[in-house]
DNA sequence: TACCGCTATTTTGCATTCATTTTTTGTCCA
DNA sequence: TGGACAAAAAATGAATGCAAAATAGCGGTA
């Protein structure tokens, strides 16, 4: 059964199944397990942009037949991570600049919504936790620790989404975030101190609005914040990509 | 091959394939064709809430084998239209009141986003077209023509989404709209003249903000508008469901 | 050598088959 | 009569098989 793997372009390393996330009850069946693992595999960028998804090879790698794999591929295609070419299998979807702009805007809309809803339901404790993250992030900012900064930043945004108390929104958010994650835009766009300082100010405004439970105001600020992020990211992408190697 | 269909609970009438919509390139393959038809079949409410999706029966009805059907089912499950029970097949997803509230809020967020984006890109001609629809809708309102009213109303909202110039958003919007469509909330919630008149006023405010390209203002109005819709719909659902037959 | 057309191999899409699990049916016994 | 158990039937989940399509390989010709 466990046959040797013929060498092809794609690096073969079985992705570890991550802890459960969204998804109805997929994780129970083999198909669901495959779906989770394959999604992570793609999101983490293990297959280069626009490259074919080698069906047979993945089957051998995962030790399964083609049926459940193909089912998972169909789902990933519906999610927008890969695309299906008739009689030519699946390719990792290549996002055009336009696609990225669209995705960023949709993310902005979802976060903007999350902020609005969060204002209706968020507890003082949750706000305190976010403040905590904010100060933590500020520390990273001062120390120019970009990695830490982004981690804290992401957790703040996730906290806001969580405070919205809307699982449907959360799932949609995770889905779009996954599509974008393949693009390593965050790598160095904030090198510009200018933008970085701006972002910090925006985050302060976010916190302020959140404290006051000013829903529609927060909604505005979040949208604008994400819009600015988008601009920075896109600008970065169109410039010479100094430090965005295909596979590190 | 074309065997006779054993009688079961589910009405067997092949759904006509509708014109293409979203979806990558699905429509080319058999699987994609099935996906489109099956989605419409479910969205149109041909299978009762919470009922099993009869695999074998659908295969016979569609004249295909189980493989492409099951692929389509997996996608529909990912879209949230049905749910997969391990070893017990698929069921049409039953939306709780909470689910509906969540869905409405997400729709509100997406439309709110659409309005904001539309203000950046909409042409005068498009605005004129929406005004046209608005007057048309007003006519239906005056004549108490609910069906016409809802049609015009839906076209207005779709026009706004279209004016946002964001295919990603449009697809997501269509997806969520489909999930809700199964619930025939619109049937008579607007019987209350009160709410109906309110909705008309809100629509006038929407148009006004759109004309002025007041993005964040429009965003607010749209969110509130949808929120009110949600409230009306949910209220309606929790009351004695006078005219919501399972299958007309 | 570059280019074209032809055949062989691989890959894809779907149907079919097989092993389990679930559901139904039937029977026995209190 | 009714309930518990067991066997039969059906359905599900995944593997395998097969025809059609696409890709790669190869030889011939200019």
């Amino acid at each position: 059964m466990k046959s040797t793997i013929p060498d092809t372009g794609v690096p073969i390393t079985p992705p570890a199944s991550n802890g459960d996330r969204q998804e109805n009850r997929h994780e129970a069946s083999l198909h669901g397990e495959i779906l989770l693992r394959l999604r992570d595999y793609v999101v983490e960028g293990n297959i280069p942009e626009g490259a074919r998804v080698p069906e047979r090879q993945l089957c051998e790698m995962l030790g399964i037949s083609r049926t459940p794999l193909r089912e998972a591929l169909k789902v990933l295609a519906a999610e927008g991570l890969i695309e299906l070419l008739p009689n030519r299998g699946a390719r990792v979807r290549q996002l055009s600049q336009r696609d990225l702009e669209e995705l960023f805007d949709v993310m902005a809309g979802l976060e903007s919504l999350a902020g609005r809803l969060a204002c209706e339901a968020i507890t003082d404790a949750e706000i305190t936790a976010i403040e905590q993250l904010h100060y933590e992030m500020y520390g990273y900012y001062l120390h120019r620790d970009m990695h830490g900064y982004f981690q804290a930043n992401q957790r703040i945004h996730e906290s806001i989404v969580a405070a919205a108390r809307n699982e449907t929104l959360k799932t949609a958010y995770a889905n779009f975030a996954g599509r974008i994650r393949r693009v390593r835009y965050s790598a160095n766009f904030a090198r510009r101190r200018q933008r970085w300082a701006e972002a910090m100010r925006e985050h302060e405004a976010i916190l302020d609005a959140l404290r006051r439970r000013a829903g529609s105001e927060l909604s505005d600020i979040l949208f604008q914040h994400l819009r600015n992020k988008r601009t920075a990211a896109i600008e970065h992408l169109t410039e010479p990509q100094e430090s965005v190697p295909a596979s590190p």
Side-chain angles (χ1 to χ4, degrees), chain A:
Chain A
M1 288 301 147
K2 217 49 177 308
S3 64
T4 63
I5 295 162
D7 57 340
T8 356
V10 178
I12 300 294
T13 34
S17 109
N18 79 340
D20 62 304
R21 232 185 342 171
Q22 50 185 109
E23 236 55 45
N24 307 355
R25 191 164 305 293
H26 279 303
E27 58 287 340
S29 59
L30 177 51
H31 146 266
E33 180 62 24
I34 295 302
L35 177 58
L36 292 176
R37 293 173 64 176
L38 201 56
R39 176 162 38 214
D40 287 342
Y41 193 69
V42 173
V43 166
E44 282 165 14
N46 295 84
I47 306 176
E49 286 262 301
R52 288 179 84 119
V53 179
E55 232 174 67
R56 179 166 296 279
Q57 210 169 318
L58 284 173
C59 285
E60 283 164 356
M61 169 175 129
L62 297 164
I64 56 163
S65 81
R66 286 172 54 219
T67 309
L69 181 85
R70 301 184 95 253
E71 288 171 350
L73 288 178
K74 300 293 187 294
V75 173
L76 292 185
E79 287 177 7
L81 276 173
I82 64 177
E83 55 190 346
L84 269 24
L85 311 180
N87 291 319
R88 281 140 105 271
R91 294 187 125 79
V92 173
R93 184 159 165 204
Q94 185 137 13
L95 295 175
S96 67
Q97 178 170 327
R98 178 81 200 126
D99 289 330
L100 273 178
E101 287 170 1
E102 291 195 0
L103 272 171
F104 265 95
D105 277 351
V106 172
M107 289 285 284
L110 292 180
E111 281 213 33
S112 155
L113 168 65
R116 200 191 285 269
L117 295 178
C119 284
E120 296 176 0
I122 197 166
T123 65
D124 290 337
E126 284 175 308
I127 291 185
T128 308
I130 292 178
E131 279 169 342
Q132 210 60 41
L133 283 169
H134 180 74
Y135 297 135
E136 192 186 312
M137 188 175 78
Y138 190 58
Y140 291 128
Y141 166 64
L142 291 179
H143 288 81
R144 305 278 182 281
D145 177 350
M146 247 186 18
H147 184 68
Y149 176 85
F150 277 112
Q151 291 242 320
N153 179 67
Q154 197 175 324
R155 269 188 291 161
I156 288 176
H157 287 282
E158 278 165 7
S159 300
I160 293 175
V161 171
R165 312 264 193 277
N166 187 316
E167 284 306 308
T168 308
L169 169 59
K170 203 167 152 189
T171 302
Y173 184 82
N175 180 274
F176 286 110
R179 285 200 226 177
I180 288 188
R181 200 167 306 140
R182 289 204 71 259
V183 184
R184 293 261 171 269
Y185 65 91
S186 57
N188 63 358
F189 86 86
R191 282 271 169 75
R192 310 151 206 277
R193 287 205 68 257
Q194 173 74 34
R195 170 66 198 133
W196 206 350
E198 234 173 72
M200 277 306 302
R201 276 198 301 280
E202 285 165 9
H203 265 269
E204 263 155 38
I206 288 168
L207 252 180
D208 180 55
L210 197 52
R211 280 196 208 96
R212 289 184 285 114
R213 267 89 170 172
S216 93
E217 192 181 324
L218 178 56
S219 166
D220 258 20
I221 298 172
L222 276 169
F223 181 81
Q224 214 36 67
H225 176 61
L226 273 281
R227 247 306 164 80
N228 295 339
K229 242 187 192 166
R230 168 189 124 159
T231 308
I234 304 289
E235 265 175 20
H236 160 76
L237 280 175
T238 47
E239 278 172 24
Q241 278 129 307
E242 358 162 7
S243 63
V244 187
S247 47

